[in-house]
Amino acid sequence: MPTNSGETVCVTGAGGFIASWLVKALLERGYTVKGTVRNPEDPKNSHLKTLDGADKRLILCKVDLNDFAAIRGAIDGCRGVFHTASPVTDDPEVMVEPAVNGTVNVVKAAADAGVRRVVFTSSIGTVYMDPNRGPDVVVDESCWSDLDFCKDTKNWYCYGKTVAEREAWATAKEGGVDLVVVNPVLVLGPLLQPTVNASIVHILKYLTGSAKTYANSIQAYVDVRDVALAHVLVYETPSASGRYICAESVLHRGDVVDILAKLFPEYPIPTKCSDEVNPRKKPYKFSNKKVKELGLNFIKTKQCIYDTVRCLQEKGHLPILSQANETQ
């Protein structure tokens, strides 16, 4: 049942993977949503218009995040802002300055509009990139990525997100904005948008045969539906503050391909690690206690992976081979 009828909020980058699920969740809870997109008529945003409640309570606004006036106009009349829009690339020219400028503009516009709370979608990339962290140290909300290490390793996505989050905090403090940050790990799960996003390629490559081996590396995972819910919970909980790591589990790539092979054996899933010399990388320890205390019960990563693949099949991004497999 709608619980927030009459309250208007803004979601930047509304057509994105996380943002689409966030818009869906907000509409289901009775909010009116002003979603910023580059082009409201672009077919890649058409899925938003089919969401329940979208016909009456979704307004798509044409906004470039470098245009302060456009952002300010979109935020006008909103009680809250969810800033999810961000480049996802390791090209420093495309990643760093746009991510930082867009974030600063959104927080400044929110301050100017007098919104109740801003929820910023950050990343685990702003948290765990620290070469000096010991293997037994638990990664929690107090951790920050080392900017020099990000630069030295040319991880411009993590660098850009870290600078953007730091600027968000500084700008919010200066403008008296109530800012809360969600730091998701690699996000999987079913897609609402028609196109495949960068994090889904992480799984898709193991199913199409394009990846012949898997890396000797680890990754933390979370379901997109949980990330969307985390945003809603930190917005709706008056006592919520600071950062919230949003992660279900950390898996080695070998664990991921094992799960895929058991669930979908009909696909050419790699069985060989690309690194047969070094010891198997061990998962890092993390804490998701803070977001769990808001009432979030995580979808298990195995279920998330299953739902991701099924969605890829349903949307035509992956051929359905199971029938042929079953008749052999």
Side-chain angles (χ1 to χ4, degrees):
M1 292 293 291
T3 57
N4 291 281
S5 297
E7 185 166 331
T8 302
V9 294
C10 178
V11 177
T12 68
F17 182 38
I18 295 171
S20 295
W21 279 100
L22 175 56
V23 170
K24 183 177 189 294
L26 291 166
L27 290 172
E28 287 173 351
R29 291 168 103 89
Y31 290 93
T32 293
V33 179
K34 295 177 78 174
T36 77
V37 292
R38 288 182 180 274
N39 180 5
E41 302 308 316
D42 192 318
K44 71 179 182 181
N45 296 315
S46 60
H47 63 286
L48 296 171
K49 300 172 185 178
T50 67
L51 296 172
D52 287 347
D55 55 336
K56 295 179 180 177
R57 290 182 284 109
L58 176 64
I59 304 152
L60 294 182
C61 308
K62 184 176 182 177
V63 171
D64 182 326
L65 292 182
N66 289 312
D67 184 344
F68 179 83
I71 297 169
R72 179 63 182 83
I75 292 175
D76 193 48
C78 293
R79 289 270 290 154
V81 174
F82 297 85
H83 179 41
T84 76
S86 175
V88 181
T89 176
D90 267 330
D91 181 336
E93 292 185 8
V94 179
M95 179 65 215
V96 181
E97 192 173 327
V100 175
N101 289 350
T103 298
V104 170
N105 280 339
V106 169
V107 177
K108 283 184 174 178
D112 193 50
V115 303
R116 182 177 72 79
R117 174 169 284 176
V118 174
V119 179
F120 173 51
T121 312
S122 188
S123 166
I124 195 67
T126 72
V127 177
Y128 82 108
M129 292 286 288
D130 181 0
N132 300 313
R133 189 185 68 246
D136 294 323
V137 174
V138 176
V139 174
D140 63 17
E141 286 81 4
S142 68
C143 300
W144 279 92
S145 290
D146 184 302
L147 288 174
D148 288 333
F149 179 62
C150 291
K151 281 197 283 189
D152 292 343
T153 56
K154 293 183 168 48
N155 193 323
W156 297 110
Y157 174 76
C158 291
Y159 180 87
K161 291 296 286 188
T162 303
V163 175
E165 189 188 331
R166 287 196 177 278
E167 286 295 323
W169 284 115
T171 308
K173 184 178 181 180
E174 183 182 330
V177 173
D178 179 10
L179 177 71
V180 185
V181 172
V182 179
N183 299 82
V185 292
L186 188 95
V187 184
L188 298 175
L191 302 83
L192 291 177
Q193 82 278 8
T195 54
V196 175
N197 53 292
S199 62
I200 297 298
V201 173
H202 176 82
I203 288 294
L204 187 58
K205 67 184 180 184
Y206 292 133
L207 298 157
T208 60
S210 62
K212 306 301 181 186
T213 59
Y214 60 86
N216 181 18
S217 58
I218 51 95
Q219 185 84 48
Y221 298 93
V222 68
D223 191 288
V224 66
R225 294 162 289 189
D226 288 337
V227 178
L229 180 55
H231 282 70
V232 175
L233 291 174
V234 300
Y235 178 73
E236 292 184 346
T237 305
S239 60
S241 65
R243 309 163 90 197
Y244 288 81
I245 289 177
C246 200
E248 196 281 319
S249 61
V250 180
L251 298 176
H252 190 276
R253 293 288 200 281
D255 298 324
V256 174
V257 296
D258 284 348
I259 290 170
L260 286 168
K262 287 173 183 173
L263 293 174
F264 302 98
E266 64 271 23
Y267 292 103
I269 296 158
T271 58
K272 186 177 179 181
C273 184
S274 58
D275 177 5
E276 297 182 322
V277 177
N278 295 301
R280 183 179 168 111
K281 294 281 178 65
K282 294 181 180 179
Y284 63 85
K285 299 173 182 177
F286 70 92
S287 172
N288 58 12
K289 180 183 177 185
K290 198 177 172 190
V291 74
K292 279 185 169 181
E293 288 174 345
L294 297 179
L296 183 61
N297 295 310
F298 284 99
I299 296 166
K300 296 297 183 185
T301 297
K302 184 177 180 181
Q303 182 66 49
C304 172
I305 289 173
Y306 177 82
D307 292 347
T308 303
V309 177
R310 282 295 186 215
C311 179
L312 289 169
Q313 292 174 331
E314 289 165 7
K315 288 188 174 288
H317 299 303
L318 188 67
I320 299 174
L321 305 177
S322 55
Q323 288 182 333
N325 183 270
E326 291 166 1
T327 57
Q328 287 178 2

Coordinates of all heavy atoms in Angstrom, one line a residue, residues 32-87:
T32 N 5.7 10.6 -5.5 CA 5.8 11.2 -6.8 C 7.3 11.3 -7.1 O 8.0 11.8 -6.3 CB 5.1 12.5 -6.9 OG1 3.7 12.3 -6.7 CG2 5.3 13.2 -8.2
V33 N 7.7 10.8 -8.3 CA 9.1 10.8 -8.6 C 9.4 11.7 -9.8 O 8.8 11.6 -10.8 CB 9.6 9.4 -8.9 CG1 11.1 9.4 -9.2 CG2 9.3 8.5 -7.7
K34 N 10.4 12.6 -9.6 CA 10.9 13.4 -10.7 C 12.2 12.8 -11.1 O 13.2 12.8 -10.3 CB 11.1 14.9 -10.3 CG 9.7 15.6 -10.0 CD 9.9 17.0 -9.6 CE 10.2 17.9 -10.7 NZ 10.3 19.3 -10.2
G35 N 12.3 12.1 -12.2 CA 13.5 11.4 -12.6 C 14.3 12.2 -13.7 O 13.7 12.6 -14.7
T36 N 15.6 12.4 -13.4 CA 16.4 13.1 -14.4 C 17.0 12.1 -15.4 O 17.5 11.1 -15.0 CB 17.5 14.0 -13.8 OG1 18.6 13.2 -13.4 CG2 17.0 14.8 -12.6
V37 N 16.9 12.4 -16.7 CA 17.5 11.6 -17.7 C 18.1 12.6 -18.8 O 17.7 13.7 -18.8 CB 16.5 10.6 -18.4 CG1 16.0 9.6 -17.4 CG2 15.3 11.4 -18.9
R38 N 18.9 12.0 -19.6 CA 19.5 12.9 -20.7 C 18.4 13.2 -21.7 O 18.4 14.3 -22.3 CB 20.7 12.2 -21.3 CG 21.9 12.2 -20.5 CD 23.1 11.5 -21.2 NE 24.3 11.4 -20.4 CZ 25.2 12.4 -20.3 NH1 25.0 13.5 -21.0 NH2 26.2 12.3 -19.6
N39 N 17.6 12.2 -22.0 CA 16.5 12.4 -23.0 C 15.3 11.6 -22.6 O 15.3 10.4 -22.7 CB 17.0 12.0 -24.4 CG 16.0 12.1 -25.5 OD1 14.9 12.7 -25.2 ND2 16.3 11.7 -26.7
P40 N 14.2 12.2 -22.2 CA 13.0 11.5 -21.8 C 12.4 10.6 -22.9 O 11.7 9.7 -22.6 CB 12.1 12.6 -21.4 CG 12.9 13.8 -21.0 CD 14.1 13.7 -22.0
E41 N 12.7 11.0 -24.2 CA 12.1 10.2 -25.3 C 13.0 9.1 -25.8 O 12.6 8.3 -26.7 CB 11.8 11.2 -26.5 CG 10.9 12.3 -26.1 CD 9.6 11.9 -25.4 OE1 9.0 10.9 -25.9 OE2 9.2 12.5 -24.4
D42 N 14.2 8.9 -25.2 CA 15.1 7.9 -25.6 C 14.4 6.5 -25.2 O 14.0 6.3 -24.1 CB 16.4 8.0 -24.8 CG 17.5 7.1 -25.4 OD1 17.2 5.9 -25.7 OD2 18.7 7.6 -25.5
P43 N 14.4 5.6 -26.2 CA 13.8 4.3 -25.9 C 14.4 3.5 -24.7 O 13.7 2.7 -24.1 CB 14.1 3.5 -27.2 CG 14.2 4.5 -28.3 CD 14.8 5.7 -27.6
K44 N 15.7 3.8 -24.4 CA 16.3 3.2 -23.2 C 15.7 3.6 -21.9 O 15.9 3.0 -20.9 CB 17.8 3.4 -23.2 CG 18.3 4.8 -22.9 CD 19.8 4.8 -22.9 CE 20.3 6.2 -22.5 NZ 21.8 6.3 -22.5
N45 N 14.8 4.6 -21.9 CA 14.1 5.1 -20.7 C 12.6 4.7 -20.7 O 11.9 5.0 -19.8 CB 14.2 6.6 -20.5 CG 15.6 7.0 -20.3 OD1 16.4 6.4 -19.5 ND2 16.0 8.1 -21.0
S46 N 12.2 4.0 -21.8 CA 10.8 3.7 -22.0 C 10.3 2.7 -20.9 O 9.1 2.8 -20.5 CB 10.5 3.1 -23.3 OG 11.3 1.9 -23.5
H47 N 11.1 1.9 -20.3 CA 10.7 1.0 -19.3 C 10.2 1.7 -18.0 O 9.3 1.2 -17.3 CB 11.8 0.0 -18.9 CG 13.0 0.7 -18.3 ND1 13.9 1.5 -19.0 CD2 13.5 0.8 -17.0 CE1 14.8 2.0 -18.2 NE2 14.6 1.6 -17.0
L48 N 10.7 2.9 -17.8 CA 10.2 3.6 -16.6 C 8.7 4.0 -16.7 O 8.0 4.0 -15.7 CB 11.1 4.9 -16.5 CG 12.6 4.7 -16.2 CD1 13.3 6.1 -16.3 CD2 12.8 4.1 -14.8
K49 N 8.3 4.3 -17.9 CA 6.9 4.7 -18.1 C 5.9 3.6 -18.0 O 4.7 3.8 -17.8 CB 6.8 5.3 -19.5 CG 7.7 6.5 -19.8 CD 7.7 7.0 -21.2 CE 8.7 8.1 -21.4 NZ 8.8 8.6 -22.8
T50 N 6.4 2.3 -17.9 CA 5.5 1.2 -17.8 C 5.4 0.7 -16.3 O 4.6 -0.2 -16.0 CB 6.0 0.0 -18.6 OG1 7.2 -0.5 -18.1 CG2 6.2 0.4 -20.1
L51 N 6.1 1.4 -15.4 CA 6.1 1.0 -14.0 C 4.8 1.3 -13.4 O 4.1 2.3 -13.8 CB 7.2 1.7 -13.2 CG 8.7 1.3 -13.6 CD1 9.7 2.2 -12.9 CD2 9.0 -0.2 -13.3
D52 N 4.3 0.5 -12.4 CA 3.0 0.8 -11.7 C 3.1 2.2 -11.1 O 4.0 2.5 -10.3 CB 2.8 -0.2 -10.7 CG 2.4 -1.6 -11.2 OD1 2.1 -1.6 -12.5 OD2 2.4 -2.6 -10.5
G53 N 2.1 3.0 -11.4 CA 2.0 4.4 -10.8 C 2.7 5.4 -11.7 O 2.6 6.6 -11.4
A54 N 3.5 5.0 -12.7 CA 4.3 5.9 -13.5 C 3.4 6.9 -14.3 O 3.8 8.1 -14.5 CB 5.2 5.2 -14.4
D55 N 2.3 6.4 -14.7 CA 1.4 7.3 -15.5 C 0.9 8.5 -14.7 O 0.7 9.6 -15.3 CB 0.2 6.5 -16.0 CG -0.6 5.8 -14.9 OD1 0.0 5.6 -13.8 OD2 -1.8 5.6 -15.1
K56 N 0.8 8.4 -13.4 CA 0.3 9.6 -12.6 C 1.4 10.2 -11.8 O 1.3 11.4 -11.4 CB -0.8 9.1 -11.7 CG -2.1 8.6 -12.5 CD -3.2 8.2 -11.6 CE -4.4 7.7 -12.4 NZ -5.5 7.2 -11.4
R57 N 2.5 9.4 -11.4 CA 3.4 10.0 -10.4 C 4.9 9.9 -10.8 O 5.7 10.0 -10.0 CB 3.2 9.2 -9.1 CG 1.9 9.6 -8.4 CD 1.7 8.8 -7.1 NE 1.3 7.4 -7.3 CZ 2.2 6.4 -7.0 NH1 3.4 6.7 -6.5 NH2 1.8 5.2 -7.2
L58 N 5.1 9.8 -12.1 CA 6.5 9.9 -12.6 C 6.6 11.0 -13.6 O 5.9 11.0 -14.6 CB 6.9 8.5 -13.2 CG 8.3 8.5 -13.9 CD1 9.4 8.7 -12.8 CD2 8.6 7.2 -14.6
I59 N 7.6 11.9 -13.4 CA 7.9 13.0 -14.3 C 9.3 12.8 -14.7 O 10.2 12.9 -13.8 CB 7.7 14.3 -13.6 CG1 6.2 14.4 -13.0 CG2 8.0 15.5 -14.5 CD1 6.1 15.3 -11.8
L60 N 9.6 12.7 -16.0 CA 10.9 12.6 -16.5 C 11.4 14.0 -16.9 O 10.7 14.6 -17.7 CB 11.0 11.6 -17.6 CG 10.8 10.1 -17.3 CD1 11.0 9.2 -18.5 CD2 11.7 9.7 -16.1
C61 N 12.5 14.4 -16.4 CA 13.1 15.7 -16.7 C 14.4 15.6 -17.5 O 15.3 14.8 -17.1 CB 13.4 16.5 -15.4 SG 12.0 16.5 -14.2
K62 N 14.5 16.4 -18.5 CA 15.7 16.4 -19.3 C 16.8 17.2 -18.6 O 16.6 18.4 -18.4 CB 15.4 16.9 -20.7 CG 16.6 16.9 -21.6 CD 16.3 17.4 -23.0 CE 17.5 17.3 -23.9 NZ 17.2 17.7 -25.3
V63 N 17.8 16.5 -18.1 CA 18.8 17.2 -17.3 C 20.2 16.7 -17.7 O 20.5 15.5 -17.8 CB 18.6 17.0 -15.8 CG1 19.7 17.5 -15.0 CG2 17.3 17.6 -15.4
D64 N 21.1 17.7 -17.8 CA 22.6 17.4 -17.9 C 23.1 17.8 -16.6 O 22.9 19.0 -16.1 CB 23.2 18.2 -19.0 CG 24.7 18.0 -19.2 OD1 25.4 17.7 -18.2 OD2 25.2 18.0 -20.3
L65 N 23.8 16.9 -15.9 CA 24.3 17.2 -14.5 C 25.3 18.3 -14.5 O 25.7 18.7 -13.4 CB 24.8 15.9 -13.9 CG 23.7 14.8 -13.6 CD1 24.3 13.6 -12.9 CD2 22.6 15.4 -12.7
N66 N 25.9 18.7 -15.6 CA 26.8 19.8 -15.6 C 26.0 21.2 -15.6 O 26.6 22.2 -15.5 CB 27.7 19.8 -16.8 CG 28.7 18.7 -16.7 OD1 29.4 18.6 -15.6 ND2 28.9 17.9 -17.7
D67 N 24.7 21.1 -15.8 CA 23.8 22.3 -15.9 C 23.1 22.5 -14.6 O 22.1 21.8 -14.3 CB 22.8 22.1 -17.0 CG 21.9 23.3 -17.3 OD1 21.9 24.2 -16.4 OD2 21.3 23.3 -18.4
F68 N 23.7 23.4 -13.8 CA 23.1 23.6 -12.4 C 21.6 24.0 -12.5 O 20.8 23.5 -11.7 CB 23.9 24.6 -11.6 CG 23.4 24.9 -10.3 CD1 23.7 24.1 -9.2 CD2 22.5 26.0 -10.0 CE1 23.2 24.3 -7.9 CE2 22.0 26.2 -8.8 CZ 22.4 25.4 -7.7
A69 N 21.3 24.9 -13.4 CA 19.9 25.4 -13.5 C 19.0 24.3 -13.8 O 17.8 24.3 -13.2 CB 19.9 26.5 -14.5
A70 N 19.4 23.4 -14.6 CA 18.5 22.3 -15.0 C 18.3 21.3 -13.8 O 17.1 20.9 -13.5 CB 19.1 21.5 -16.2
I71 N 19.4 21.1 -13.1 CA 19.2 20.2 -11.9 C 18.3 20.9 -10.8 O 17.5 20.3 -10.2 CB 20.6 20.0 -11.3 CG1 21.5 19.2 -12.2 CG2 20.5 19.2 -9.9 CD1 22.9 19.1 -11.8
R72 N 18.6 22.2 -10.6 CA 17.8 23.0 -9.6 C 16.3 22.9 -10.0 O 15.5 22.8 -9.1 CB 18.3 24.4 -9.6 CG 17.6 25.3 -8.6 CD 17.7 24.8 -7.2 NE 16.9 25.7 -6.3 CZ 15.6 25.6 -6.0 NH1 14.9 24.6 -6.7 NH2 15.0 26.4 -5.2
G73 N 16.0 23.0 -11.3 CA 14.6 23.0 -11.7 C 14.0 21.6 -11.5 O 12.8 21.6 -11.0
A74 N 14.8 20.6 -11.7 CA 14.2 19.2 -11.4 C 14.0 19.0 -9.9 O 13.0 18.3 -9.6 CB 15.2 18.2 -12.0
I75 N 14.9 19.5 -9.1 CA 14.7 19.3 -7.6 C 13.7 20.2 -7.0 O 13.2 19.9 -5.9 CB 16.1 19.5 -7.0 CG1 17.1 18.4 -7.4 CG2 16.0 19.6 -5.5 CD1 18.5 18.6 -6.9
D76 N 13.3 21.2 -7.7 CA 12.3 22.2 -7.2 C 11.0 21.4 -6.7 O 10.5 20.7 -7.5 CB 11.9 23.2 -8.2 CG 11.2 24.4 -7.6 OD1 11.6 24.9 -6.6 OD2 10.1 24.8 -8.2
G77 N 10.6 21.7 -5.5 CA 9.4 21.0 -5.0 C 9.6 19.7 -4.4 O 8.6 19.0 -4.0
C78 N 10.8 19.2 -4.4 CA 11.1 17.8 -3.9 C 11.5 17.9 -2.4 O 12.2 18.8 -2.0 CB 12.3 17.2 -4.7 SG 11.8 16.8 -6.4
R79 N 11.0 16.9 -1.6 CA 11.4 16.8 -0.2 C 12.7 16.0 -0.1 O 13.4 16.2 0.9 CB 10.3 16.0 0.5 CG 9.0 16.8 0.7 CD 9.1 17.5 2.0 NE 9.0 16.6 3.2 CZ 9.5 16.9 4.4 NH1 10.1 18.1 4.6 NH2 9.4 16.1 5.4
G80 N 13.0 15.2 -1.0 CA 14.3 14.4 -1.0 C 14.9 14.2 -2.4 O 14.2 14.4 -3.4
V81 N 16.2 13.9 -2.4 CA 16.9 13.7 -3.6 C 17.7 12.4 -3.5 O 18.4 12.2 -2.5 CB 17.8 14.9 -4.0 CG1 18.7 14.5 -5.2 CG2 17.0 16.1 -4.2
F82 N 17.7 11.6 -4.5 CA 18.5 10.4 -4.6 C 19.4 10.6 -5.8 O 19.0 10.6 -6.9 CB 17.6 9.1 -4.9 CG 16.7 8.8 -3.7 CD1 15.4 9.4 -3.7 CD2 17.0 7.9 -2.7 CE1 14.5 9.1 -2.7 CE2 16.2 7.6 -1.7 CZ 14.9 8.2 -1.7
H83 N 20.7 10.8 -5.5 CA 21.7 11.0 -6.6 C 22.4 9.7 -6.9 O 23.4 9.3 -6.3 CB 22.7 12.1 -6.1 CG 23.7 12.4 -7.2 ND1 23.4 12.5 -8.5 CD2 25.1 12.6 -7.1 CE1 24.5 12.7 -9.2 NE2 25.5 12.8 -8.4
T84 N 21.9 9.1 -8.0 CA 22.4 7.8 -8.4 C 23.3 7.9 -9.7 O 24.1 7.1 -10.0 CB 21.3 6.8 -8.7 OG1 20.7 7.1 -10.0 CG2 20.3 6.7 -7.6
A85 N 23.1 9.0 -10.4 CA 23.7 9.2 -11.7 C 25.2 9.3 -11.6 O 25.7 10.1 -10.8 CB 23.2 10.4 -12.4
S86 N 26.0 8.5 -12.4 CA 27.4 8.6 -12.4 C 28.0 7.9 -13.6 O 27.4 6.9 -14.0 CB 28.0 8.0 -11.1 OG 29.4 8.0 -11.2
P87 N 29.1 8.4 -14.2 CA 29.7 7.6 -15.2 C 30.2 6.3 -14.6 O 30.6 6.3 -13.4 CB 30.9 8.5 -15.7 CG 30.6 9.9 -15.1 CD 29.8 9.7 -13.9

